[in-house]
Amino acid sequence: MIQVTRPYLPSRERLMHYIDGIYERHWLTNDGPLVQELTRRLEAYLGVDNLLLVGNGTLALQIAYRALGISGDDARGDAVTTPFSFAATASSLKWEGVQPVFADIDPATWCLDTDAVAAAITPATRAIVPVHVFGNACDVEGIDGLARRHGLRVVYDGAHAFGVTFRGESLLKWGDAATLSFHATKLFHTIEGGAIVFRRRDDLERARLMINFGIAGPEQIDELGINAKMNEFQAAMGLAQLDEIDINLAGRAAAWERYDQALSDCFITQSRHPACSNNYAYFPISLASESDLLGILALLQEHGVVARRYFYPSLSRVAALAPTRGLPSAADLSRAESLARRILCLPLYCGVPAEQVIEPLLAGWRYHVGAA
Ligand SMILES: *Cc1c(COP(=O)(O)O)cnc(C)c1O
């Protein structure tokens, strides 16, 4: 079976080099030397300042909301976000007591539509939480302007945007904060893990206390905190991944380019922002209808190819995310809901046998789509 993804594993020797150090030091967690080294190397590689490593990408979102005062004791209100994302984007808000209010997406870029965001803003809105969907840059300039006019915080869910640049600089520099996920299925991973990139140093310092129970010193607790730390074994995996990132990226790029060349005339693909680079994290296609999608999915399955419906269902259809009091907003979310029914992510990882995916897809296209 060809799975939709296969976690990259660095060479054992490289990983053991870092793990040997852990065995010498007996320092396993709590801002250890490997976590510090990974922080420095990721800041340099990504071209950002104020990066904080955390236990996973969902905690990264939760801590970012807390550090920026979007959630927490004094916080009241909503956040405008996209229904076309992984569950964690909206569930992390709801979990933090912030009601997600959905706005529709742009039908070509699949990221939040800035006009729809503007229309969703009310006096209760505190923040905007856009997603760089499949590593494609949001309309960061439009959203930034909107946030400034309305005095709102912006947290970008950059779980897909590792290494993406926008006008030559890290895309993660946009917003009050941007978060990353280093889950095993992501482009760069630490098995489980994540990071927050803050715009301001003092937000980073507050978050640093928050991820370790608010503890500021041996006998001093300065903040309401929780446990969101990354440990040394996670950081060892991250360092070994970073040593081999060029190999990983080259393998993904080759498969991505091959898919693009073979499939982009037959299937609808994402329009990427012209100012943003490609990190080859995903190859999504969209079909003309859900029945076309189900036909293609079944055919791929017969040929041992597991493609996945990312992101389906639309988060606007998830009861657990709806307001507990009051009615869900009446916003028109038809573009997101339609895309969610027609989207498919193809297997993409370093070493994926792309031809074995392309062949049944083209056959399926001729049968289900081309023939219609
Ligand atoms: C993976 C992902 C997350 C969650 O990250 P975890 O590390 O799995 O907690 C959040 N948002 C998006 C868009 C994701 O794809």
Side-chain angles (χ1 to χ4, degrees), residues 347-365:
L348 187 62
Y349 50 85
C350 181
V352 67
E355 302 308 323
Q356 291 177 47
V357 179
I358 290 168
E359 210 176 292
L361 263 174
L362 290 181
W365 180 79

Side-chain angles (χ1 to χ4, degrees), residues 56-58 85-86 88-89 157 159-160 181 183 186 193:
N56 62 56
T58 306
S85 185
F86 183 63
T89 309
D157 181 342
H160 303 171
S181 165
H183 184 258
K186 303 300 206 279

